[in-house]
Amino acid sequence: MKFGYFDDFNREFIVTTPATPLPWINYLGSEDFFGLISNTGGGYCFYRDARLRRLIRFRYNNPAGDTGGRFFYLKEKGKPAWSPCYLPCRTEPDSWRCRHGMGYTIFESSKDGLSCELTITIPLGDTCELHRIRLKNTSGSPKQLQCWAAVEWCLWDSIDDAQNYQRNLNT
């Protein structure tokens, strides 16, 4: 089964389905700030040191292998929530693709006449991760929509965070 292809002209790898056997990761980064993001939105980011300065939680030993600390939700009134990245909702989109490029990942998806483009990047020279979401109503009728994002923070030391979750949660 084919899960994606290289787009030589745009210098991107296009993932055409969220149902890949394993996560397909893109590495983002600048001089001091780095991130990993999968084709379904999993992954994490860190400042200089992936173990001792982790910002977003990512558990390697989770039963569900590609859960990460970034979450995006779209909810139209009277319909189930969905995510432009596919996870964590797993609501089947009408269309979906992930574009991994040099220094960015773009998720393009649509559901019930609403199209979404989510871009995640780490700009050169900055120590931050930027998320830009663009929504377009293609249905021709008004929509009542909620859109929100969430982050699951790691408390710097990723080993301590993974082993002492309850203590860290209380802290």
Side-chain angles (χ1 to χ4, degrees):
M1 178 177 216
K2 187 175 178 181
F3 298 103
Y5 60 93
F6 283 100
D7 179 341
D8 292 330
F9 181 76
N10 291 313
R11 301 178 69 193
E12 297 174 329
F13 187 80
I14 312 295
V15 185
T16 56
T17 176
T20 55
L22 294 169
W24 292 14
I25 303 292
N26 193 13
Y27 296 89
L28 311 175
S30 65
E31 294 80 4
D32 291 325
F33 197 84
F34 307 92
L36 288 81
I37 187 161
S38 76
N39 61 299
T40 55
Y44 60 93
C45 63
F46 59 93
Y47 177 73
R48 291 189 179 169
D49 187 306
R51 179 187 167 213
L52 297 175
R53 294 189 175 178
R54 176 88 50 93
L55 295 172
I56 295 177
R57 175 171 285 133
F58 184 79
R59 296 191 184 277
Y60 298 99
N61 296 325
N62 268 3
D66 191 27
T67 56
R70 307 173 191 91
F71 306 98
F72 300 91
Y73 302 91
L74 300 170
K75 173 95 172 80
E76 189 177 346
K77 188 174 183 177
K79 297 185 179 178
W82 61 286
S83 173
C85 307
Y86 182 68
L87 291 179
C89 296
R90 297 182 190 266
T91 304
E92 200 62 40
D94 296 335
S95 68
W96 180 95
R97 75 179 186 161
C98 171
R99 296 168 35 208
H100 285 321
M102 295 292 288
Y104 65 90
T105 291
I106 298 173
F107 296 93
E108 298 170 324
S109 55
S110 67
K111 180 81 176 152
D112 299 326
L114 180 68
S115 66
C116 177
E117 180 183 279
L118 171 64
T119 303
I120 299 175
T121 187
I122 294 175
L124 291 176
D126 282 333
T127 53
C128 64
E129 186 176 278
L130 297 179
H131 305 166
R132 180 185 66 199
I133 192 164
R134 293 180 177 179
L135 302 172
K136 184 177 181 182
N137 182 356
T138 59
S139 70
S141 59
K143 291 185 174 285
Q144 290 184 349
L145 181 71
Q146 293 177 316
C147 175
W148 66 96
V151 173
E152 187 177 8
W153 299 109
C154 177
L155 298 173
W156 289 103
D157 185 340
S158 64
I159 301 298
D160 183 52
D161 185 66
Q163 294 172 348
N164 298 301
Y165 180 70
Q166 188 62 42
R167 180 181 60 90
N168 290 338
L169 185 63
N170 291 334
T171 301

Coordinates of all heavy atoms in Angstrom, one line a residue, residues 46-125:
F46 N 11.4 21.0 22.2 CA 12.4 21.2 23.4 C 13.3 22.4 23.1 O 13.5 22.8 21.9 CB 13.2 20.0 23.7 CG 14.0 19.4 22.5 CD1 15.3 19.8 22.4 CD2 13.4 18.6 21.6 CE1 16.1 19.3 21.3 CE2 14.2 18.1 20.5 CZ 15.5 18.5 20.4
Y47 N 13.9 22.9 24.1 CA 14.9 24.0 24.1 C 16.2 23.4 24.4 O 16.5 23.0 25.5 CB 14.5 25.1 25.1 CG 15.5 26.3 25.1 CD1 15.5 27.2 24.1 CD2 16.3 26.4 26.2 CE1 16.4 28.2 24.1 CE2 17.2 27.5 26.3 CZ 17.2 28.4 25.2 OH 18.1 29.4 25.3
R48 N 17.1 23.4 23.4 CA 18.5 22.9 23.4 C 18.7 21.5 23.8 O 19.6 20.8 23.2 CB 19.3 23.8 24.4 CG 19.5 25.2 23.9 CD 20.5 25.9 24.7 NE 20.7 27.3 24.2 CZ 21.3 28.2 24.8 NH1 21.8 28.0 26.0 NH2 21.4 29.4 24.2
D49 N 18.0 20.9 24.7 CA 18.2 19.5 25.2 C 16.9 18.7 25.2 O 16.0 19.1 26.0 CB 18.9 19.6 26.6 CG 19.3 18.2 27.1 OD1 18.5 17.3 27.1 OD2 20.5 18.1 27.5
A50 N 16.8 17.7 24.5 CA 15.6 16.9 24.4 C 15.2 16.2 25.7 O 14.0 16.0 25.9 CB 15.7 15.9 23.3
R51 N 16.1 15.9 26.5 CA 15.8 15.3 27.8 C 15.5 16.3 28.9 O 14.6 16.2 29.6 CB 16.8 14.3 28.2 CG 16.5 13.7 29.5 CD 17.5 12.8 30.2 NE 17.1 12.6 31.5 CZ 17.9 12.5 32.5 NH1 19.2 12.6 32.3 NH2 17.5 12.3 33.7
L52 N 16.4 17.2 29.1 CA 16.4 18.1 30.2 C 15.6 19.4 30.0 O 15.4 20.1 31.0 CB 17.8 18.4 30.7 CG 18.6 17.2 31.2 CD1 20.1 17.6 31.5 CD2 18.0 16.6 32.4
R53 N 15.3 19.7 28.8 CA 14.5 21.0 28.5 C 13.3 20.7 27.6 O 13.1 21.5 26.7 CB 15.4 22.0 28.0 CG 16.5 22.4 29.0 CD 17.2 23.6 28.5 NE 18.1 24.1 29.6 CZ 19.0 25.1 29.5 NH1 19.0 25.7 28.3 NH2 19.7 25.4 30.4
R54 N 12.6 19.6 27.8 CA 11.4 19.3 27.0 C 10.3 20.2 27.4 O 10.0 20.4 28.6 CB 11.1 17.8 27.3 CG 9.9 17.3 26.7 CD 10.1 16.7 25.3 NE 11.2 15.8 25.2 CZ 11.1 14.5 25.3 NH1 9.9 13.9 25.5 NH2 12.1 13.7 25.1
L55 N 9.6 20.7 26.5 CA 8.4 21.5 26.7 C 7.1 20.8 26.6 O 6.2 21.1 27.4 CB 8.4 22.8 25.8 CG 9.6 23.7 26.0 CD1 9.6 24.7 24.9 CD2 9.5 24.3 27.4
I56 N 7.0 19.9 25.6 CA 5.7 19.3 25.4 C 5.9 17.8 25.7 O 6.9 17.2 25.3 CB 5.2 19.5 23.9 CG1 4.9 20.9 23.7 CG2 4.0 18.6 23.6 CD1 4.5 21.2 22.3
R57 N 4.9 17.2 26.3 CA 5.0 15.8 26.8 C 4.8 14.9 25.5 O 4.0 15.1 24.7 CB 3.9 15.5 27.8 CG 3.8 14.0 28.2 CD 2.8 13.8 29.3 NE 3.5 14.3 30.5 CZ 3.0 15.1 31.4 NH1 1.7 15.5 31.3 NH2 3.6 15.4 32.5
F58 N 5.6 13.8 25.5 CA 5.5 12.8 24.5 C 6.0 11.5 25.2 O 7.1 11.4 25.7 CB 6.4 13.0 23.3 CG 6.2 12.0 22.2 CD1 5.1 12.0 21.4 CD2 7.2 11.0 22.0 CE1 5.0 11.1 20.4 CE2 7.0 10.1 21.0 CZ 5.9 10.1 20.2
R59 N 5.1 10.5 25.3 CA 5.5 9.3 26.0 C 5.7 8.2 25.0 O 4.9 7.8 24.3 CB 4.3 8.9 27.0 CG 4.1 9.9 28.1 CD 3.2 9.3 29.1 NE 2.9 10.3 30.1 CZ 3.7 10.6 31.1 NH1 4.8 9.9 31.3 NH2 3.4 11.5 32.0
Y60 N 7.0 7.7 25.0 CA 7.4 6.7 24.0 C 6.7 5.4 24.2 O 6.5 4.6 23.3 CB 8.9 6.5 24.1 CG 9.7 7.8 23.8 CD1 10.2 8.6 24.8 CD2 9.9 8.1 22.4 CE1 10.9 9.7 24.5 CE2 10.5 9.3 22.1 CZ 11.0 10.1 23.1 OH 11.7 11.2 22.8
N61 N 6.4 5.0 25.5 CA 5.9 3.7 25.8 C 4.4 3.7 25.9 O 3.8 2.7 26.5 CB 6.5 3.2 27.1 CG 8.0 3.1 27.0 OD1 8.5 2.7 25.9 ND2 8.8 3.4 28.0
N62 N 3.7 4.7 25.4 CA 2.2 4.7 25.4 C 1.7 3.5 24.6 O 2.3 3.2 23.5 CB 1.7 6.0 24.9 CG 1.4 7.0 26.0 OD1 1.7 6.8 27.2 ND2 0.9 8.2 25.6
P63 N 0.6 2.9 25.0 CA 0.0 1.9 24.1 C -0.4 2.4 22.8 O -0.2 1.8 21.8 CB -1.2 1.4 24.9 CG -1.2 2.1 26.2 CD -0.1 3.1 26.2
A64 N -1.0 3.6 22.7 CA -1.3 4.3 21.4 C 0.0 5.0 21.0 O 0.3 6.0 21.6 CB -2.4 5.2 21.6
G65 N 0.7 4.5 20.0 CA 2.1 5.0 19.8 C 2.3 6.4 19.3 O 3.4 6.9 19.3
D66 N 1.3 7.1 18.9 CA 1.5 8.4 18.3 C 0.7 9.5 19.0 O 0.1 10.4 18.3 CB 1.2 8.4 16.8 CG 1.7 9.7 16.1 OD1 2.7 10.3 16.6 OD2 1.1 10.0 15.1
T67 N 0.6 9.5 20.3 CA 0.0 10.6 21.0 C 1.0 11.6 21.4 O 2.1 11.2 21.9 CB -0.8 10.0 22.2 OG1 0.1 9.3 23.0 CG2 -1.9 9.1 21.8
G68 N 0.7 12.8 21.2 CA 1.7 13.8 21.5 C 1.0 14.9 22.4 O -0.1 14.8 22.8
G69 N 1.8 16.0 22.6 CA 1.3 17.0 23.5 C 0.6 18.2 22.8 O 0.2 19.1 23.4
R70 N 0.4 18.2 21.5 CA -0.3 19.2 20.8 C -1.6 18.7 20.3 O -1.7 17.6 19.7 CB 0.4 19.6 19.5 CG 1.8 20.1 19.6 CD 2.4 20.3 18.2 NE 3.8 20.4 18.2 CZ 4.7 19.4 18.0 NH1 4.3 18.2 17.9 NH2 6.0 19.6 18.0
F71 N -2.7 19.4 20.6 CA -4.0 18.9 20.2 C -4.8 20.1 19.6 O -4.8 21.2 20.1 CB -4.8 18.4 21.4 CG -4.0 17.3 22.2 CD1 -3.3 17.7 23.3 CD2 -4.0 16.0 21.7 CE1 -2.5 16.7 24.0 CE2 -3.2 15.1 22.4 CZ -2.5 15.4 23.5
F72 N -5.5 19.8 18.5 CA -6.3 20.8 17.8 C -7.7 20.2 17.6 O -7.8 19.0 17.1 CB -5.7 21.1 16.4 CG -4.3 21.7 16.6 CD1 -3.2 20.9 16.5 CD2 -4.2 23.1 16.8 CE1 -1.9 21.5 16.7 CE2 -2.9 23.6 16.9 CZ -1.8 22.8 16.9
Y73 N -8.7 21.0 17.8 CA -10.1 20.5 17.7 C -10.9 21.5 17.0 O -10.8 22.7 17.2 CB -10.7 20.3 19.1 CG -10.0 19.4 20.0 CD1 -9.0 19.8 20.9 CD2 -10.3 18.0 20.0 CE1 -8.3 18.9 21.7 CE2 -9.6 17.1 20.9 CZ -8.6 17.6 21.7 OH -8.0 16.7 22.5
L74 N -11.8 21.0 16.1 CA -12.8 21.7 15.4 C -14.2 21.1 15.7 O -14.3 19.9 15.6 CB -12.6 21.8 13.9 CG -11.2 22.4 13.5 CD1 -11.0 22.1 12.0 CD2 -11.2 23.8 13.8
K75 N -15.1 21.9 16.0 CA -16.5 21.3 16.4 C -17.5 22.2 15.8 O -17.7 23.4 16.2 CB -16.6 21.3 17.9 CG -18.0 20.9 18.4 CD -18.0 19.4 18.7 CE -19.3 19.0 19.4 NZ -20.4 18.9 18.5
E76 N -18.3 21.6 14.9 CA -19.5 22.3 14.4 C -20.7 21.9 15.2 O -20.8 20.7 15.6 CB -19.7 21.9 12.9 CG -20.7 22.7 12.2 CD -20.8 22.4 10.7 OE1 -19.9 21.7 10.2 OE2 -21.8 22.8 10.1
K77 N -21.6 22.8 15.4 CA -22.8 22.6 16.2 C -23.5 21.4 15.7 O -23.8 21.3 14.5 CB -23.7 23.8 16.3 CG -24.8 23.7 17.3 CD -25.6 25.0 17.4 CE -26.7 24.8 18.4 NZ -27.4 26.0 18.6
G78 N -23.8 20.4 16.6 CA -24.6 19.2 16.2 C -23.8 18.1 15.5 O -24.4 17.1 15.1
K79 N -22.5 18.3 15.4 CA -21.6 17.3 14.7 C -20.5 16.9 15.6 O -20.1 17.7 16.5 CB -21.1 17.8 13.4 CG -22.3 18.1 12.4 CD -21.7 18.5 11.1 CE -22.9 18.7 10.2 NZ -22.5 19.2 8.9
P80 N -19.8 15.7 15.4 CA -18.7 15.3 16.3 C -17.5 16.2 16.0 O -17.3 16.7 14.9 CB -18.4 13.9 15.9 CG -19.1 13.7 14.5 CD -20.2 14.7 14.5
A81 N -16.7 16.3 17.0 CA -15.4 17.1 16.9 C -14.5 16.3 16.0 O -14.5 15.1 15.9 CB -14.8 17.3 18.3
W82 N -13.6 17.1 15.3 CA -12.6 16.5 14.5 C -11.3 17.3 14.6 O -11.3 18.4 15.1 CB -13.0 16.3 13.0 CG -13.4 17.6 12.3 CD1 -14.5 18.3 12.4 CD2 -12.6 18.2 11.3 NE1 -14.5 19.4 11.5 CE2 -13.4 19.3 10.8 CE3 -11.4 17.9 10.6 CZ2 -12.9 20.2 9.8 CZ3 -11.0 18.8 9.6 CH2 -11.7 19.9 9.2
S83 N -10.2 16.8 14.1 CA -8.9 17.4 14.2 C -8.3 17.5 12.8 O -8.4 16.6 12.1 CB -8.0 16.6 15.1 OG -6.7 17.2 15.1
P84 N -7.7 18.7 12.5 CA -7.0 18.8 11.2 C -5.9 17.8 11.1 O -5.5 17.5 10.0 CB -6.6 20.2 11.1 CG -6.8 20.8 12.5 CD -7.7 19.9 13.3
C85 N -5.3 17.4 12.2 CA -4.2 16.4 12.2 C -4.7 15.0 12.2 O -3.8 14.1 12.1 CB -3.3 16.6 13.4 SG -2.8 18.3 13.7
Y86 N -5.9 14.7 12.4 CA -6.6 13.4 12.5 C -6.6 13.0 14.0 O -7.7 12.7 14.5 CB -5.9 12.3 11.7 CG -6.6 11.0 11.8 CD1 -7.9 10.8 11.3 CD2 -6.1 9.9 12.4 CE1 -8.6 9.6 11.4 CE2 -6.7 8.7 12.5 CZ -8.0 8.6 12.0 OH -8.6 7.4 12.1
L87 N -5.5 12.9 14.7 CA -5.5 12.6 16.1 C -5.6 13.9 16.9 O -5.2 14.9 16.5 CB -4.2 11.9 16.5 CG -3.9 10.5 16.0 CD1 -2.6 10.0 16.4 CD2 -5.0 9.6 16.4
P88 N -6.3 13.8 18.1 CA -6.7 12.7 18.8 C -8.1 12.2 18.6 O -8.5 11.2 19.1 CB -6.5 13.2 20.3 CG -6.9 14.6 20.2 CD -6.4 15.1 18.9
C89 N -8.9 12.9 17.8 CA -10.3 12.6 17.6 C -10.5 11.3 16.8 O -11.5 10.6 17.1 CB -11.0 13.8 16.9 SG -11.0 15.3 17.8
R90 N -9.7 11.1 15.8 CA -9.9 9.9 14.9 C -11.2 10.0 14.1 O -11.7 9.0 13.6 CB -9.8 8.6 15.6 CG -8.4 8.4 16.2 CD -8.4 7.0 16.9 NE -7.2 6.9 17.7 CZ -6.0 6.4 17.2 NH1 -5.9 5.9 16.0 NH2 -5.0 6.3 18.0
T91 N -11.8 11.2 14.0 CA -13.0 11.4 13.2 C -12.6 11.3 11.7 O -11.6 12.1 11.3 CB -13.7 12.7 13.5 OG1 -14.0 12.7 14.9 CG2 -15.0 12.9 12.7
E92 N -13.2 10.5 10.9 CA -12.8 10.4 9.5 C -13.1 11.6 8.7 O -14.2 12.1 8.6 CB -13.5 9.2 8.9 CG -12.9 8.6 7.7 CD -11.5 8.1 7.9 OE1 -11.2 7.4 9.0 OE2 -10.6 8.3 7.1
P93 N -12.0 12.3 8.2 CA -12.2 13.5 7.4 C -12.7 13.2 6.0 O -12.6 12.0 5.5 CB -10.9 14.1 7.3 CG -9.9 13.0 7.4 CD -10.6 11.9 8.3
D94 N -13.3 14.2 5.3 CA -13.7 14.0 3.9 C -12.4 14.0 3.0 O -12.4 13.3 2.0 CB -14.6 15.1 3.5 CG -15.9 15.1 4.2 OD1 -16.3 14.0 4.7 OD2 -16.6 16.1 4.4
S95 N -11.5 14.8 3.4 CA -10.2 14.8 2.7 C -9.1 15.1 3.7 O -9.3 15.8 4.7 CB -10.1 15.8 1.5 OG -10.2 17.2 2.1
W96 N -7.9 14.6 3.5 CA -6.8 14.8 4.4 C -5.5 14.6 3.7 O -5.3 13.7 2.9 CB -6.9 13.8 5.6 CG -5.9 13.9 6.6 CD1 -5.9 14.6 7.8 CD2 -4.6 13.3 6.6 NE1 -4.8 14.5 8.5 CE2 -3.9 13.7 7.8 CE3 -3.9 12.5 5.7 CZ2 -2.6 13.3 8.1 CZ3 -2.6 12.1 6.0 CH2 -2.0 12.5 7.2
R97 N -4.5 15.4 4.1 CA -3.1 15.1 3.7 C -2.2 15.9 4.6 O -2.6 17.0 5.1 CB -2.8 15.4 2.2 CG -2.7 16.8 1.8 CD -2.4 16.9 0.3 NE -2.2 18.2 -0.1 CZ -1.5 18.6 -1.2 NH1 -1.1 17.6 -2.0 NH2 -1.4 19.8 -1.5
C98 N -1.0 15.4 4.7 CA 0.1 16.0 5.5 C 1.3 16.3 4.6 O 1.7 15.4 3.9 CB 0.4 15.1 6.7 SG 1.9 15.7 7.6
R99 N 1.8 17.5 4.7 CA 2.9 17.9 3.9 C 4.1 18.2 4.8 O 4.1 19.2 5.5 CB 2.6 19.1 3.0 CG 1.5 18.9 2.0 CD 0.9 20.1 1.3 NE 1.9 21.1 1.1 CZ 1.5 22.4 1.0 NH1 0.3 22.8 1.2 NH2 2.5 23.4 0.8
H100 N 5.1 17.4 4.8 CA 6.3 17.6 5.5 C 7.3 18.3 4.6 O 7.7 17.7 3.6 CB 6.9 16.3 6.0 CG 6.2 15.6 7.1 ND1 5.7 16.3 8.2 CD2 6.0 14.3 7.4 CE1 5.2 15.4 9.1 NE2 5.3 14.2 8.6
G101 N 7.7 19.5 5.0 CA 8.7 20.2 4.2 C 9.9 20.6 5.1 O 9.9 20.3 6.3
M102 N 10.8 21.3 4.5 CA 12.0 21.7 5.3 C 11.6 22.8 6.3 O 11.4 24.0 5.9 CB 13.1 22.2 4.3 CG 13.6 21.1 3.4 SD 14.6 19.9 4.3 CE 16.0 20.8 4.7
G103 N 11.5 22.5 7.5 CA 11.2 23.5 8.6 C 9.7 23.7 8.8 O 9.4 24.6 9.6
Y104 N 8.9 22.9 8.3 CA 7.4 23.1 8.5 C 6.7 21.8 8.2 O 7.2 20.9 7.5 CB 6.9 24.2 7.6 CG 6.9 23.9 6.1 CD1 5.9 23.3 5.5 CD2 8.0 24.2 5.4 CE1 5.9 22.9 4.1 CE2 8.1 23.9 4.0 CZ 7.1 23.3 3.4 OH 7.1 23.0 2.1
T105 N 5.5 21.7 8.7 CA 4.5 20.7 8.4 C 3.2 21.3 8.2 O 2.8 22.2 9.0 CB 4.4 19.6 9.5 OG1 5.7 18.9 9.5 CG2 3.3 18.6 9.3
I106 N 2.5 21.0 7.2 CA 1.1 21.5 6.9 C 0.1 20.4 6.8 O 0.4 19.4 6.1 CB 1.1 22.3 5.6 CG1 2.1 23.5 5.6 CG2 -0.3 22.8 5.2 CD1 2.3 24.2 4.3
F107 N -0.9 20.5 7.6 CA -2.1 19.6 7.5 C -3.2 20.2 6.7 O -3.6 21.4 7.0 CB -2.6 19.2 8.9 CG -1.5 18.5 9.7 CD1 -0.7 19.2 10.6 CD2 -1.4 17.1 9.7 CE1 0.2 18.6 11.4 CE2 -0.5 16.5 10.4 CZ 0.4 17.2 11.3
E108 N -3.7 19.6 5.7 CA -4.8 20.0 4.9 C -5.9 19.0 5.0 O -5.7 17.9 4.6 CB -4.4 20.2 3.4 CG -3.3 21.2 3.2 CD -2.7 21.2 1.8 OE1 -2.6 20.2 1.2 OE2 -2.4 22.3 1.4
S109 N -7.0 19.5 5.5 CA -8.2 18.5 5.7 C -9.5 19.2 5.5 O -9.5 20.5 5.6 CB -8.1 17.9 7.1 OG -8.0 18.9 8.1
S110 N -10.5 18.4 5.4 CA -11.9 19.0 5.3 C -12.9 18.0 5.8 O -12.7 16.8 5.8 CB -12.2 19.4 3.8 OG -12.3 18.2 3.0
K111 N -14.0 18.6 6.3 CA -15.1 17.8 6.9 C -16.3 18.6 6.8 O -16.4 19.8 7.2 CB -14.8 17.5 8.3 CG -15.8 16.6 9.0 CD -15.6 15.2 8.7 CE -16.6 14.3 9.5 NZ -17.0 13.1 8.8
D112 N -17.4 18.0 6.1 CA -18.7 18.6 6.1 C -18.7 20.1 5.6 O -19.4 21.0 6.2 CB -19.4 18.6 7.4 CG -19.6 17.1 7.9 OD1 -19.8 16.2 7.1 OD2 -19.5 16.9 9.2
G113 N -18.0 20.4 4.5 CA -18.0 21.7 3.9 C -17.1 22.7 4.6 O -17.2 23.9 4.4
L114 N -16.2 22.3 5.5 CA -15.3 23.1 6.2 C -13.9 22.6 5.8 O -13.5 21.5 6.1 CB -15.5 23.1 7.7 CG -14.5 24.0 8.5 CD1 -14.8 25.5 8.2 CD2 -14.7 23.7 10.0
S115 N -13.1 23.5 5.2 CA -11.7 23.1 4.9 C -10.7 23.8 5.9 O -11.0 24.9 6.4 CB -11.3 23.4 3.5 OG -11.3 24.8 3.3
C116 N -9.7 23.1 6.2 CA -8.7 23.6 7.2 C -7.3 23.4 6.7 O -7.0 22.4 6.1 CB -8.9 22.8 8.5 SG -7.8 23.3 9.8
E117 N -6.5 24.4 7.0 CA -5.0 24.3 6.7 C -4.3 24.7 8.0 O -4.5 25.8 8.5 CB -4.6 25.2 5.6 CG -3.1 25.1 5.3 CD -2.7 26.1 4.2 OE1 -2.8 25.7 3.0 OE2 -2.2 27.2 4.6
L118 N -3.6 23.8 8.6 CA -2.8 24.0 9.8 C -1.4 23.9 9.5 O -0.9 22.9 9.0 CB -3.2 23.0 10.9 CG -2.4 23.0 12.2 CD1 -2.5 24.3 12.9 CD2 -2.7 21.8 13.0
T119 N -0.6 25.0 9.8 CA 0.8 25.0 9.5 C 1.5 25.1 10.9 O 1.2 25.9 11.7 CB 1.2 26.3 8.7 OG1 0.5 26.2 7.4 CG2 2.7 26.3 8.4
I120 N 2.5 24.3 11.0 CA 3.3 24.2 12.2 C 4.8 24.4 11.8 O 5.3 23.7 10.9 CB 3.1 22.9 13.0 CG1 1.7 22.8 13.5 CG2 4.1 22.9 14.2 CD1 1.3 21.5 14.1
T121 N 5.5 25.4 12.4 CA 6.9 25.7 12.0 C 7.6 26.2 13.2 O 7.0 26.7 14.2 CB 6.9 26.7 10.9 OG1 8.3 26.8 10.4 CG2 6.4 28.1 11.3
I122 N 8.9 26.1 13.2 CA 9.8 26.8 14.1 C 10.7 27.8 13.3 O 11.5 27.3 12.5 CB 10.7 25.8 14.9 CG1 9.8 24.9 15.8 CG2 11.8 26.5 15.7 CD1 10.5 23.8 16.4
P123 N 10.4 29.1 13.5 CA 11.1 30.0 12.6 C 12.6 30.1 13.0 O 13.0 30.0 14.2 CB 10.4 31.4 12.9 CG 9.4 31.1 13.9 CD 9.5 29.7 14.3
L124 N 13.4 30.3 12.0 CA 14.9 30.5 12.2 C 15.1 31.7 13.1 O 14.5 32.7 12.9 CB 15.6 30.6 10.9 CG 15.7 29.4 10.0 CD1 16.4 29.7 8.7 CD2 16.4 28.2 10.7
G125 N 16.0 31.5 14.1 CA 16.4 32.6 15.0 C 15.4 32.8 16.1 O 15.7 33.6 17.0

